Amino acid sequence: MSFHRSAGRLWVEGVALSEIADRFGTPCYVYSRARLTENWRAYDDAFGARAHRIHYSVKANGSLALLNILHSLGSGFDIVSGGELARALAAGANGSDIIFSGVGKSRQELIDAVTVGVACINVESEAELDRLTEIAAALGRRAPIALRVNPDVDPQTHPYISTGLQGNKFGVSMVEALRLYRKALAVPSLEVRGIACHIGSQMTSLAPISDTVGLIVDLAKALEREGCQLSHLDLGGGLGIRYRDEQPPAITDYVRVLCDVPERFEIHVEPGRSIIGDAGVLLTSIEYLKAMPTKHFAICDAAMTELLRPALYNAWHALELLEPPTADVSSRRYDLVGPVCESADFLAQDRELCLSPGARLAVMNAGAYGFVMASSYNARPRPAEILVDGHSVTEIRPRETIGDLMASERLATARELP
Ligand SMILES: *Cc1c(COP(=O)(O)O)cnc(C)c1O
């Protein structure tokens, strides 16, 4: 068990989280290397001998130490920006380990992707196809592409993280896809490699996934009838995890559905949350307890600046005390809120907790879409990140300082442009 309670204290692998809080302060993120590894291997093992490639979605958590561990396991990377390209390369990946998704790739991002030789660019519009055609020709290269299609399947998840419906900005419609594939096939500077899709995140049902697989395979067969041989089908990411009482499918069951794809196609997946989500927690300390006429607030030192998901998606995260409460403290219903000047600044609402000032908590399942969405709003430095591997503890990112926040700023000087 990566996170477990023993003798009243909460542990990650062989280290008590209270010791990490003592040593590095709060708020801070803590990751379990064992859990990260286990999750990635669950995908790899489930595919077994079936031709496949796992491209971890860097946007879920792009910290270099974590990317480097995944690279050493044999993972590829799914990126959505030039910044993530640089991160994947810095973590040890080669261009051929990387696929590039995203609806708004800039000219420079496409130039960089073609130059480093990424394995595939998942094109999301005709305008992007035209831009890439021109860029690859100018560089004297053939750009490997897939079209990201929007299968118009409802992933049955939160509207902000559903991406494969007709009203979403992502991908091209199934109807457009055939015409754009024909167009791409006629362009010498493009090399059509596959089809891509990604219909949403935190999916807890297999039905939309299996519908999507059917639609993508149908499209692949239609393309074959026109003489277009594809080497891979990229079925995206999006498998959910258990935050509260969700019952997401096991990785093995999910992969079994993906393996409905005919053997002649390599299967690509782009999981993010299901690899890093339950491998990380956010530690926080209670600053004040505040009784208001209708509510009790527990004000802690973490905020929407450290973990945006509750404010953005009304997301629910389990809370765990790092140590047993002192005997004289009674349990109450609290809203756990941060110091930021926004009423959306909460980490949890209406939770029965035994708290006293100074108590420390772990916000569970915070590994995905946690640190990556951290901001310095209210001039708050971003938190430290700690990696635990058995009994060993590494600070993989020190806490930002106020100096870091101001380092690149300049005062206005009255100077006219030449
Ligand atoms: C966000 C994203 C993923 C990963 O989604 P998870 O829900 O974290 O698994 C995969 N592919 C694309 C294109 C994405 O935008």
Side-chain angles (χ1 to χ4, degrees), residues 117-139:
V118 299
C120 195
I121 297 173
N122 293 344
V123 173
E124 299 214 17
S125 64
E126 183 164 18
E128 183 188 339
L129 192 72
D130 294 342
R131 180 180 271 188
L132 182 60
T133 297
E134 195 190 294
I135 285 170
L139 292 169

Side-chain angles (χ1 to χ4, degrees), residues 92-104:
N94 296 310
S96 60
D97 299 323
I98 297 169
I99 58 164
F100 193 3
S101 305
V103 74

Side-chain angles (χ1 to χ4, degrees), residues 112-338:
D112 292 345
V114 172
T115 306
V116 305
V118 299
C120 195
I121 297 173
N122 293 344
V123 173
E124 299 214 17
S125 64
E126 183 164 18
E128 183 188 339
L129 192 72
D130 294 342
R131 180 180 271 188
L132 182 60
T133 297
E134 195 190 294
I135 285 170
L139 292 169
R141 302 280 289 263
R142 288 193 85 198
I145 66 151
L147 285 179
R148 174 168 173 185
V149 299
N150 181 333
D152 194 22
V153 167
D154 186 349
Q156 299 161 17
T157 182
H158 189 284
Y160 288 9
I161 49 176
S162 98
T163 52
L165 272 171
Q166 230 168 49
N168 297 131
K169 68 178 174 181
F170 300 98
V172 301
S173 73
M174 294 297 263
V175 183
E176 277 285 272
L178 265 183
R179 183 177 67 80
L180 294 181
Y181 270 110
R182 288 185 195 120
K183 180 170 173 175
L185 285 164
V187 173
S189 64
L190 298 179
E191 185 193 337
V192 175
R193 290 251 175 106
I195 305 174
C197 67
H198 170 71
I199 62 167
S201 198
Q202 183 55 16
M203 291 187 290
T204 52
S205 155
L206 286 176
I209 294 159
S210 120
D211 291 351
T212 301
V213 171
L215 289 164
I216 299 298
V217 169
D218 287 349
L219 177 59
K221 288 179 177 165
L223 288 166
E224 283 180 329
R225 285 194 292 275
E226 303 205 0
C228 170
Q229 289 307 313
L230 302 172
S231 57
H232 75 257
L233 301 185
D234 180 343
L235 301 166
L239 181 63
I241 63 169
R242 184 177 186 136
Y243 287 102
R244 187 177 191 174
D245 47 13
E246 305 93 327
Q247 303 277 1
I251 289 172
T252 43
D253 295 330
Y254 169 68
V255 168
R256 194 169 307 125
V257 168
L258 305 186
C259 287
D260 274 350
V261 166
E263 289 274 350
R264 61 186 178 281
F265 303 111
E266 186 171 81
I267 301 174
H268 289 190
V269 284
E270 308 168 347
R273 187 191 312 270
S274 51
I275 290 198
I276 191 64
D278 67 1
V281 298
L282 171 64
L283 304 188
T284 183
S285 305
I286 302 299
E287 297 279 9
Y288 302 104
L289 298 177
K290 180 171 177 178
M292 301 285 272
T294 60
K295 246 187 207 181
H296 290 273
F297 288 98
I299 302 170
C300 66
D301 62 1
M304 64 191 289
T305 43
E306 282 71 34
L307 182 64
L308 186 59
R309 298 188 69 258
L312 186 60
Y313 314 118
N314 203 21
W316 192 98
H317 284 265
L319 303 175
E320 295 281 347
L321 281 167
L322 302 196
E323 293 142 312
T326 44
D328 54 329
V329 180
S330 56
S331 160
R332 274 222 171 82
R333 296 195 90 78
Y334 287 102
D335 278 15
L336 182 68
V337 301

Side-chain angles (χ1 to χ4, degrees), residues 10-67:
L10 191 65
W11 296 69
V12 52
E13 303 191 24
V15 182
L17 283 162
S18 52
E19 281 168 24
I20 294 180
D22 289 344
R23 185 161 151 208
F24 298 99
T26 56
C28 76
Y29 276 95
V30 184
Y31 305 105
S32 159
R33 181 174 187 147
R35 178 56 67 87
L36 171 63
T37 303
E38 207 176 285
N39 289 341
W40 190 88
R41 291 217 171 111
Y43 273 97
D44 201 40
D45 292 346
F47 280 109
R50 183 72 172 77
H52 70 281
R53 193 86 215 263
I54 303 162
H55 295 104
Y56 166 76
S57 175
V58 173
K59 82 172 194 288
N61 188 324
S63 294
L64 289 181
L66 306 179
L67 298 185

